[in-house]
Amino acid sequence: MSQVTLKHVHKVYEGGVHAVKDFNLDIKDKEFIVFVGPSGCGKSTTLRMIAGLEEITAGQLFIDNILVNDKESKDRDIAMVFQSYALYPHMTVYQNMAFGLKLRKFPSEDIDQRVKRAAEILEISDLLTRKPKALSGGQRQRVALGRAIVREPSVFLLDEPLSNLDAKLRVQMRTEITKLHNRLATTFIYVTHDQTEAMTMGTRIVVMKDGLIQQVDTPITLFENPTNLFVATFLGSPQMNILKAKLVLEGNKLVALLNGDEKKAIVFPDQKKRQLASKDYINKEVYLGIRPEHLELSEEGISAEIDVVEQLGDESLIYVKPKGIDKIIIIKAKASERYKHKQKIAIKFDASKIHLFDLENEASIIGFPHENRFQAKARNNTLVFGKNEWVLSSKLLDRAVQKTFEESMVVAFKPEDVLVKKADNCYKIHAKVDFIDEKSDYIACFAKVEGLSNYLVYRLKKEDKKVPTNEEAVTLYIPEDKVILYQNNERLLLKEKIYPNEAKCQIKLKGEKMIITLGNQKLILPKQENISEGEHTLRIKQEGVKVLFNKKIRKKYKFEKVRYPKNSLLKVSAYDEDKTGEKNALFVKINGFEQYVTLIVENNFTVYDMPVFKISLDLDAIEIL
Ligand code: ADP
Ligand code: MG
């Protein structure tokens, strides 16, 4: 067993680089998971935090359900292989592989067995007496892997292990590592910036950009159903073609008009039309994406002229200029067909394979949605949408940033969080399946909920025997902790439960003042009536607390300098934050409080720029019980 779980993991380097932001991932036992993304997106940092080589700024890391944030690297049962695998030049292959075990004082028979077994797995048994300089690049890389294998770790971490090899060897070692994973049957976490490596090796891929996870899924699903323009264009070679287009209705048909002078329409199949996220996109401009393999050169379609033809063995890449569009489109075609420079031709789009993206936020707007969203009404503590009535439980309200809701709100949940079997602490929805869209990896169910206009979308596994038929009535279950609420685009529920901000304190009275001792800190505030000396409970209100900003933050966000009474200040250290829109929920540690204290502030700043700071508490911000 070797599961790795990351919960809200952040990394902020000294100097303020926020390298990894709110990283959440469940890595299953024996998975081959790949982190991919452009250079600097935080892949190595994440891997190094898992390895224990880099401190975790905020969040939690579990290995086999045990919190290991504070466990030293050597106690984590993992082994890491780096891009620059320095072998000891004066030692033989055998000695290089045995070295780590010797340091750990393994008995020599045990070492001998492990080294020989690893050498067999890697097919380097005949090289054990050689020194590194007598090895090829690929052989050296195997020895580096061998050093990790002999440790028999439950998790392997590999950081761009092939990037020093030449192209041919890289392809070969790719297969070798995949085979190694099958043979060892342990969890692999593999970092690469190379999308081909990611697509060919991973059972699941984590696509990252700017420290943020963009999407996590199997290679085929990422390819078929990218959640945004970045994922769509980062994966796949050559890249997906992106053009601007206008969506319009022609009679009953949804069509896309390219900006060219011809105004030829691309007509979507009916099922595709039904997958458009919102009718608001009709008569609007969007990004239209199509992969080179889903375009064809033919007699009919968008007029174009061939620019360049590139032969690649049995296929060729044709670069064409569509008429009136200032952009080159790439088409993958069979090499047997002959095309030449300046040839006039037409491009045919496979409209069932078209991707559409919002022009502003670049999110995918057709196909499998990222989130199911429904307009709802809140009455007392009941949420009504369509024919559904959900009583908001205290467990759910524990995450709410405010206790009263406006009447109109949006209830949301992710397709992957919808369950088809009854489970504890779930909300129920009755729906009717409208149509099924079979993807390579899963089955997407588009269901209608009575009284609602948009679809409820969920996923079924391929191996699930019970695929519903069209029009079948289904009961679906949404776990309480997966429910998201929005009001005016602001998220109302935090990821974490909010604890009552309460702690025991000692109060002494002195003239018109009261001295409140909390942990190792003191507050001196004007005396309140009916407060006696002795032990009390201090409650800090979530809202109404003022933050003392340091110079760096004031400069960065152009905040005014504000003075607070010195005796009203309390030192806090940030644990995490959760931005809900305009507001920012800060989870802080204060000496004396057992749980995290949650402060909700209007200011838009990040605690990662200011991990330790002071807050000002006046009588309006606290209650003494
Ligand atoms: P990747 O492996 O995806 O290329 P890294 O995890 O190495 O990215 O880096 C992520 C970001 O963190 C980059 O902006 C990088 O400059 C920064 N960074 C990495 N290591 C350090 C460090 N030790 N100190 C400060 N910043 C760092
Ligand atoms: Mg790196």
Side-chain angles (χ1 to χ4, degrees):
M1 273 283 286
S2 39
Q3 291 162 282
V4 179
T5 306
L6 295 102
K7 282 193 180 158
H8 304 302
V9 167
H10 290 259
K11 176 67 189 184
V12 183
Y13 283 109
E14 258 173 61
V17 177
H18 199 164
V20 176
K21 298 166 190 161
D22 199 21
F23 195 102
N24 290 286
L25 186 67
D26 266 314
I27 302 173
K28 296 182 207 92
D29 188 32
K30 301 188 180 56
E31 246 194 307
F32 194 130
I33 200 124
V34 178
F35 296 171
V36 72
S39 173
C41 70
K43 309 178 292 291
S44 295
T45 302
T46 310
L47 202 69
R48 291 168 58 81
M49 285 193 283
I50 298 172
L53 301 172
E54 201 72 74
E55 206 178 308
I56 295 171
T57 313
Q60 295 166 310
L61 171 70
F62 298 87
I63 298 180
D64 286 338
N65 298 318
I66 296 167
L67 185 70
V68 297
N69 284 42
D70 297 325
K71 236 188 200 182
E72 277 193 55
S73 182
K74 66 176 174 53
D75 301 326
R76 288 193 190 182
D77 198 16
I78 48 182
M80 187 144 168
V81 182
F82 297 94
Q83 174 185 341
S84 50
Y85 44 90
L87 300 179
Y88 301 108
H90 59 286
M91 291 186 195
T92 62
V93 167
Y94 185 101
Q95 287 164 335
N96 261 292
M97 282 163 66
F99 188 67
L101 299 179
K102 257 192 178 157
L103 276 187
R104 287 178 177 78
K105 303 230 171 1
F106 275 66
S108 50
E109 309 91 83
D110 196 10
I111 295 180
D112 192 58
Q113 260 186 12
R114 285 176 182 230
V115 170
K116 287 188 174 147
R117 195 160 49 218
E120 241 167 71
I121 291 172
L122 294 163
E123 294 167 10
I124 50 170
S125 301
D126 51 336
L127 304 178
L128 287 172
T129 53
R130 286 204 205 164
K131 296 240 171 98
K133 67 171 186 298
L135 299 175
S136 69
Q139 289 168 336
R140 276 183 219 160
Q141 184 53 267
R142 271 171 226 233
V143 179
L145 286 169
R147 281 200 304 207
I149 294 173
V150 294
R151 304 238 337 255
E152 298 177 4
S154 47
V155 186
F156 271 92
L157 306 179
L158 302 104
D159 192 350
E160 313 229 11
L162 306 184
S163 55
N164 284 344
L165 305 179
D166 63 49
K168 193 169 154 227
L169 202 51
R170 217 157 49 217
V171 174
Q172 192 189 331
M173 281 305 287
R174 222 150 68 188
T175 331
E176 293 292 317
I177 291 180
T178 310
K179 278 200 226 153
L180 183 66
H181 172 250
N182 294 339
R183 255 176 268 155
L184 296 176
T186 48
T187 310
F188 274 46
I189 310 177
Y190 187 101
V191 161
T192 178
H193 64 275
D194 179 339
Q195 64 90 20
T196 317
E197 230 170 84
M199 293 294 272
T200 50
M201 297 174 84
T203 46
R204 275 197 309 161
I205 301 177
V206 179
V207 184
M208 295 180 72
K209 183 192 166 208
D210 299 337
L212 283 167
I213 294 186
Q214 304 292 308
Q215 195 173 2
V216 182
D217 224 309
T218 56
I220 190 78
T221 298
L222 291 175
F223 195 75
E224 287 178 352
N225 213 3
T227 183
N228 59 32
L229 195 64
F230 175 78
V231 178
T233 50
F234 188 76
L235 302 177
S237 172
Q239 259 193 14
M240 185 187 283
N241 296 294
I242 304 292
L243 299 161
K244 275 192 182 172
K246 192 175 165 188
L247 295 180
V248 293
L249 283 179
E250 278 184 4
N252 213 359
K253 297 277 179 206
L254 177 69
V255 304
L257 300 173
L258 297 184
N259 286 347
D261 58 358
E262 231 179 341
K263 299 280 179 207
K264 274 232 172 89
I266 303 167
V267 182
F268 289 94
D270 196 42
Q271 190 174 71
K272 193 87 181 168
K273 173 189 164 193
R274 291 198 276 177
Q275 295 182 17
L276 186 68
S278 157
K279 293 197 172 59
D280 295 346
Y281 286 106
I282 292 176
N283 295 324
K284 276 222 182 109
E285 256 207 338
V286 295
Y287 286 121
L288 181 150
I290 183 119
R291 297 198 185 275
E293 47 273 51
H294 300 138
L295 289 169
E296 236 183 282
L297 291 177
S298 75
E299 310 285 299
E300 273 175 72
I302 312 289
S303 312
E305 186 184 284
I306 293 181
D307 189 24
V308 179
V309 179
E310 238 177 59
Q311 300 287 353
L312 308 169
D314 61 346
E315 359 179 80
S316 46
L317 297 180
I318 327 266
Y319 295 73
V320 303
K321 276 193 217 156
K323 201 168 157 190
I325 298 174
D326 192 18
K327 198 149 187 193
I328 297 280
I329 291 186
I330 307 178
I331 300 170
K332 232 183 223 178
K334 289 216 174 61
S336 57
E337 290 163 51
R338 293 273 155 228
Y339 297 105
K340 53 183 190 297
H341 181 57
K342 293 244 180 223
Q343 188 179 335
K344 299 267 187 281
I345 200 92
I347 317 170
K348 205 166 110 195
F349 286 66
D350 178 353
S352 69
K353 298 285 169 48
I354 285 178
H355 301 261
L356 299 175
F357 304 96
D358 186 294
L359 225 41
E360 260 166 54
N361 63 23
E362 301 187 350
S364 166
I365 56 166
I366 202 158
F368 202 76
H370 163 71
E371 215 171 71
N372 288 298
R373 284 181 177 230
F374 302 106
Q375 202 62 48
K377 288 214 179 314
R379 293 200 194 106
N380 300 320
N381 264 348
T382 305
L383 205 64
V384 184
F385 60 106
K387 292 251 159 117
N388 300 282
E389 287 197 14
W390 289 0
V391 177
L392 299 177
S393 67
S394 58
K395 199 174 154 206
L396 185 138
L397 291 171
D398 275 348
R399 296 189 290 131
V401 290
Q402 57 196 54
K403 292 301 165 210
T404 53
F405 300 135
E406 281 171 34
E407 206 188 307
S408 164
M409 60 165 77
V410 169
V411 56
F413 43 86
K414 298 202 162 130
E416 57 267 36
D417 291 332
V418 177
L419 307 176
V420 290
K421 282 207 192 97
K422 196 173 168 165
D424 287 343
N425 300 319
C426 282
Y427 287 114
K428 227 196 254 182
I429 295 190
H430 297 288
K432 207 179 230 178
V433 173
D434 199 29
F435 65 93
I436 301 278
D437 187 6
E438 197 158 339
K439 301 281 182 189
S440 303
D441 240 21
Y442 62 89
I443 296 156
C445 300
F446 288 72
K448 281 267 183 210
V449 182
E450 210 178 324
L452 298 177
S453 62
N454 52 330
Y455 285 110
L456 187 163
V457 189
Y458 62 102
R459 275 186 191 194
L460 283 178
K461 291 203 186 82
K462 280 259 162 160
E463 58 268 26
D464 261 324
K465 298 263 174 340
K466 277 188 278 169
V467 177
T469 51
N470 293 359
E471 300 297 316
E472 187 174 323
V474 288
T475 308
L476 304 167
Y477 301 88
I478 323 295
E480 255 177 3
D481 54 350
K482 305 291 187 193
V483 173
I484 309 162
L485 298 179
Y486 295 95
Q487 200 155 58
N488 309 320
N489 279 329
E490 183 160 333
R491 191 155 51 83
L492 296 180
L493 298 180
L494 299 181
K495 291 174 212 137
E496 307 219 7
K497 171 178 176 174
I498 303 178
Y499 293 99
N501 293 344
E502 286 176 10
K504 292 267 177 275
C505 66
Q506 291 293 330
I507 295 188
K508 271 197 176 151
L509 302 175
K510 203 171 179 190
E512 286 308 297
K513 304 268 178 209
M514 58 182 180
I515 305 166
I516 306 172
T517 308
L518 179 74
N520 57 357
Q521 304 192 69
K522 275 192 174 62
L523 286 172
I524 305 176
L525 297 178
K527 195 165 117 186
Q528 247 188 331
E529 273 182 48
N530 306 326
I531 296 286
S532 57
E533 290 206 329
E535 191 178 86
H536 287 268
T537 297
L538 175 79
R539 180 187 292 159
I540 299 182
K541 291 183 189 167
Q542 272 153 24
E543 288 177 81
V545 171
K546 291 168 200 87
V547 177
L548 186 68
F549 293 106
N550 64 26
K551 212 166 155 188
K552 189 176 144 199
I553 293 252
R554 288 204 308 269
K555 206 170 146 203
K556 184 165 169 186
Y557 297 96
K558 302 198 170 66
F559 292 158
E560 296 278 316
K561 182 164 186 171
V562 186
R563 287 184 195 283
Y564 300 109
K566 202 169 163 220
N567 289 327
S568 77
L569 295 174
L570 217 52
K571 193 170 144 188
V572 305
S573 54
Y575 155 73
D576 199 359
E577 68 187 0
D578 193 355
K579 291 200 156 68
T580 63
E582 298 283 290
K583 290 187 189 134
N584 194 359
L586 316 180
F587 300 98
V588 300
K589 274 278 187 199
I590 305 179
N591 206 302
F593 283 81
E594 246 179 73
Q595 315 282 12
Y596 300 111
V597 174
T598 313
L599 309 174
I600 295 164
V601 297
E602 307 279 334
N603 313 69
N604 186 21
F605 71 100
T606 172
V607 291
Y608 297 101
D609 281 347
M610 194 176 66
V612 178
F613 55 97
K614 285 181 178 166
I615 53 173
S616 168
L617 297 174
D618 56 21
L619 286 178
D620 291 338
I622 61 169
E623 283 172 73
I624 294 166
L625 314 171

